[in-house]
């Protein structure tokens, strides 16, 4: 099941770019000085994110030139036009167009993974096999990294975990291992073969010769270079060195959930001409995603990522289940059973922060929700599961004594149970008004909504804003 992940490497850059462009967004007119000031901040933000110096220079020059153009000056919302230009240039920087792999008309399609030791290549092979299996393909894994016996064992274990065959009989000659693996995949009717090749701690002649020999034997449909985002600009240097010797079609970027600064991900396409096709954003085996530069640019600029959110929601819930839940919610029949179903669906989509950041404009409004950890979310489930089937189905029967029993059964307080009961009531109310075409504002809901059952108050960013507004009005 897919999960929604936020690419953590872009967090700091995202904040800085949004702040640099924040002043422009609402402006009715733009002069050269305002644009220059914003461009200086954009340049600084990118350099601090460890983006290649030449790439930054070119990027800022492009944006500046377009921002000073006649079309922007004549626009009704010049500030927003500049943000749009930054979005387009960021997309172009990361590689506009499809990130998909090429598939051979005559199976099996062969995917060769190359990269340095420690870049996460073997794990990436397992994740890619799972991703392709979930897309309806029949992948197989071939162990061609014979330098490290541990790599072979790791690949065999990963294959077992994702339910994919692993061909690892040949233990001395990588070229023979690849030949035998591809032949066995054909016999077994597998339509994709993923080759896990050897790496070294650094690029050397022996590694390149072995890769070239494996490549000649495999005639791969795709060659993917596995790069570690945590190594920053060094990853870009590695990509250039590989490109000189073993040309690759695209990059599989690992460890994008780490605390690196994102420079490698933003520089690699501009420097090598090869796009990022896939991104690994977590340790779990389902944490590999197709890389969409346009969606990533939207996330970085705080515009959300609705398309990915929809895809993940569809993956997390069955069609019949979704339609029934939708019907009941819109009718205002929102029982605790429904609450639990929708809640489990959200949890299947991944960490709450990641889900929220996909919603345009909501990420910032709900910044305080990073304090809601998985343990606190687990309390919701515990409270609902401590109710009887009747209480879950007909929530209004839950009186004071029942609330005490539910609190004791779930290891929570009566106050936390009360908060959850109120949260369900508010949600049912909201769904009913949506069904009748009256959508309450998010701000209104935040102002009146209950805290999550952690005993902590709900983040009050919205209320702060409104109190400031009141002060200004009094003046």
């Amino acid at each position: 099941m897919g999960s929604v992940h936020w690419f953590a490497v872009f967090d700091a850059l995202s904040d800085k770019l949004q702040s640099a462009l924040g002043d422009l967004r609402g402006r009715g007119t733009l002069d050269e000085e305002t644009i220059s000031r914003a461009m200086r901040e954009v340049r600084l933000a990118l350099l601090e994110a460890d983006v290649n110096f030449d790439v930054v220079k070119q990027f800022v020059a492009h944006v500046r030139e377009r921002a000073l153009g006649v079309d922007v000056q004549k626009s009704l919302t010049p500030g927003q036009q500049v943000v749009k230009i930054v979005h387009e240039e960021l997309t172009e920087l990361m590689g506009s167009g499809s990130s998909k792999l090429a598939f051979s008309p005559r199976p099996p399609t062969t995917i060769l993974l190359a990269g340095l030791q420690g870049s996460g290549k073997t794990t990436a092979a397992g994740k890619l096999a799972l991703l392709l299996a979930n897309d309806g393909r029949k992948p197989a894994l071939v162990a061609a990294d014979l330098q490290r016996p541990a790599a072979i064992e790791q690949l065999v274990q990963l294959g077992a975990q994702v339910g994919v065959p692993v061909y690892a009989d040949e233990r001395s000659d990588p070229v023979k291992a690849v030949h035998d693996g591809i032949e066995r995949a054909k016999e077994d009717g597998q339509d994709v073969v993923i080759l896990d090749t050897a790496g070294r701690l650094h690029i050397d002649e022996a590694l390149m010769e072995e890769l070239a020999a494996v490549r000649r034997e495999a005639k791969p449909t795709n060659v993917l270079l596995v790069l570690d985002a945590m190594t920053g600009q060094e990853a870009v240097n590695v990509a250039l060195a590989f490109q000189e010797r073993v040309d690759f079609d695209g990059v599989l970027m690992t460890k994008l959930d780490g605390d690196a600064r994102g420079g490698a991900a933003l520089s690699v396409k501009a420097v090598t001409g090869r796009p990022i096709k896939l991104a690994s954003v977590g340790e779990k085996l389902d944490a590999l995603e197709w890389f969409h530069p346009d969606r990533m640019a939207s996330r970085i600029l705080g515009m959300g990522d609705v398309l990915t959110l929809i895809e993940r929601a569809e993956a997390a819930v069955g069609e019949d289940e979704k339609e029934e839940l939708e019907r009941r919610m819109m009718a205002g029949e929102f029982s605790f059973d429904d609450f639990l179903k929708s809640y489990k669906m959200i949890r299947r989509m991944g960490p709450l922060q990641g889900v929220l950041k996909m919603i345009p404009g909501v990420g910032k409004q709900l910044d305080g929700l990073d304090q809601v950890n998985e343990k606190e979310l687990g309390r919701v489930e515990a409270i609902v599961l401590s109710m009887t089937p009747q209480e879950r189905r007909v929530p209004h029967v839950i009186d004071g004594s029942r609330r005490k029993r539910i609190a004791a059964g779930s290891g929570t307080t009566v106050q936390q149970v009360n908060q959850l009961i109120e949260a369900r009531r508010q949600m049912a109310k909201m769904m009913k008004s949506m069904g009748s075409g009256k959508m309450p504002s998010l701000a209104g809901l935040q102002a009146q909504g209950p805290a999550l059952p952690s005993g902590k108050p709900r983040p009050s960013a919205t209320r702060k804003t409104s109190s400031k507004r009141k002060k200004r009005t009094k003046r």
Side-chain angles (χ1 to χ4, degrees):
M1 209 52 81
S3 312
V4 170
H5 305 278
W6 171 246
F7 291 68
V9 292
F10 294 119
D11 266 342
L13 173 66
S14 178
D15 289 344
K16 288 195 175 98
L17 280 183
Q18 286 179 57
S19 142
L21 298 169
D23 290 346
L24 297 181
R25 284 181 200 258
R27 281 180 177 258
T29 56
L30 290 180
D31 54 31
E32 195 164 340
E33 193 192 334
T34 310
I35 289 171
S36 294
R37 195 166 54 242
M39 288 308 105
R40 272 198 302 276
E41 288 184 45
V42 166
R43 181 174 175 275
L44 259 175
L46 291 168
L47 287 173
E48 280 177 27
D50 198 24
V51 179
N52 176 286
F53 179 76
D54 292 330
V55 171
V56 173
K57 201 170 144 189
Q58 207 173 0
F59 177 85
V60 173
H62 278 179
V63 174
R64 184 188 164 81
E65 188 185 331
R66 290 183 62 190
L68 290 168
V70 180
D71 293 349
V72 171
Q73 301 306 316
K74 285 186 175 172
S75 158
L76 290 172
T77 55
Q80 287 174 12
Q81 280 292 104
V82 174
V83 175
K84 183 172 178 278
I85 289 167
V86 173
H87 181 270
E88 286 167 4
E89 292 291 334
L90 262 181
T91 303
E92 187 61 36
L93 188 64
M94 290 184 281
S96 52
S98 171
S99 66
K100 296 290 182 184
L101 299 173
F103 288 95
S104 171
R106 291 177 59 208
T109 291
T110 315
I111 302 166
L112 187 152
L113 298 186
L116 290 185
Q117 204 170 301
S119 58
K121 193 159 23 67
T122 303
T123 309
K127 289 177 175 178
L128 180 56
L130 178 62
L131 182 72
L132 294 173
N134 287 340
D135 281 354
R137 307 270 172 189
K138 290 194 288 179
L141 291 158
V142 173
D145 178 359
L146 309 182
Q147 301 288 330
R148 296 184 308 126
I152 302 169
E153 298 316 317
Q154 187 188 354
L155 197 69
V156 169
Q157 284 172 14
L158 286 166
Q161 280 174 265
V162 300
V164 161
V166 179
Y167 306 127
D169 295 336
E170 175 60 43
R171 298 287 172 117
S172 57
D173 179 357
V175 174
K176 187 173 187 307
V178 164
H179 174 272
D180 293 355
I182 293 171
E183 287 307 310
R184 282 194 57 192
K186 283 179 187 169
E187 288 165 19
D188 294 349
Q190 306 302 122
D191 58 13
V192 181
V193 182
I194 300 164
L195 310 174
D196 179 29
T197 64
R200 298 279 195 290
L201 292 173
H202 54 84
I203 290 156
D204 63 14
E205 200 55 40
L207 168 67
M208 289 305 173
E209 278 177 14
E210 182 177 312
L211 269 176
V214 163
R215 185 184 178 135
R216 280 194 300 273
E217 175 59 46
K219 299 180 184 61
T221 323
N222 303 271
V223 177
L224 295 180
L225 180 64
V226 179
L227 288 179
D228 178 352
M230 301 289 281
T231 58
Q233 281 308 297
E234 186 49 37
V236 179
N237 298 334
V238 168
L240 276 172
F242 265 93
Q243 195 177 28
E244 281 172 22
R245 302 295 304 274
V246 179
D247 196 20
F248 56 90
D249 305 298
V251 169
L252 188 160
M253 189 72 77
T254 63
K255 304 177 195 172
L256 270 168
D257 56 321
D259 56 5
R261 290 170 293 172
L266 286 169
S267 309
V268 72
K269 163 68 168 61
V271 174
T272 66
R274 298 289 180 266
I276 298 173
K277 287 183 175 277
L278 293 140
S280 174
V281 288
E283 288 178 17
K284 289 185 178 173
L285 287 172
D286 67 350
L288 184 70
E289 300 184 354
W290 298 107
F291 190 80
H292 300 278
D294 53 340
R295 300 184 192 183
M296 186 48 60
S298 294
R299 292 197 217 182
I300 291 170
L301 295 176
M303 298 173 177
D305 181 359
V306 175
L307 287 173
T308 302
L309 187 64
I310 291 165
E311 283 172 10
R312 294 295 173 253
E314 283 173 350
V317 65
E319 197 58 41
D320 50 344
E321 191 185 356
K322 183 175 72 178
E323 280 174 13
E324 174 58 16
L325 193 57
E326 230 169 64
R327 185 196 65 73
R328 289 178 58 77
M329 285 166 106
M330 292 308 179
E333 303 166 15
F334 196 59
S335 70
F336 270 112
D337 283 325
D338 298 325
F339 191 100
L340 201 58
K341 268 183 204 166
S342 57
Y343 173 75
K344 279 180 174 170
M345 184 187 92
I346 290 168
R347 291 194 80 177
R348 286 205 295 265
M349 287 167 66
L352 188 62
Q353 275 298 90
V355 176
L356 289 176
K357 282 182 176 173
M358 298 273 175
I359 304 168
V362 171
K364 281 285 167 206
Q365 284 192 57
L366 301 181
D367 263 351
L369 270 173
D370 55 4
Q371 60 190 266
V372 181
N373 62 34
E374 284 298 306
K375 197 168 89 178
E376 285 165 10
L377 289 173
R379 286 197 187 118
V380 173
E381 214 164 334
I383 292 170
V384 176
L385 292 173
S386 294
M387 297 174 185
T388 65
Q390 191 210 7
E391 286 165 349
R392 290 209 292 267
R393 209 169 42 250
V394 193
H396 66 258
V397 304
I398 305 173
D399 57 16
S401 61
R402 287 175 187 248
R403 288 173 197 222
K404 280 183 192 164
R405 192 204 77 244
I406 292 164
S410 57
T412 58
T413 65
V414 173
Q415 184 198 5
Q416 288 168 338
V417 173
N418 290 343
Q419 284 167 351
L420 185 64
I421 288 169
E422 177 60 13
R424 184 215 64 84
R425 198 181 66 77
Q426 293 281 3
M427 208 161 171
K429 192 172 153 189
M430 182 182 82
M431 290 303 165
K432 198 165 187 179
S433 50
M434 275 172 73
S436 61
K438 297 176 200 146
M439 181 58 191
S441 73
L442 186 68
L445 275 171
Q446 272 183 278
Q448 69 189 17
L452 270 131
S454 59
K456 291 180 185 174
R458 175 178 289 277
S460 55
T462 314
R463 286 197 292 278
K464 277 182 202 161
T465 316
S466 54
S467 64
K468 276 182 195 164
R469 218 174 272 136
K470 276 176 199 163
K471 278 177 196 165
R472 275 203 298 271
T473 318
K474 279 176 191 169
R475 282 189 212 124

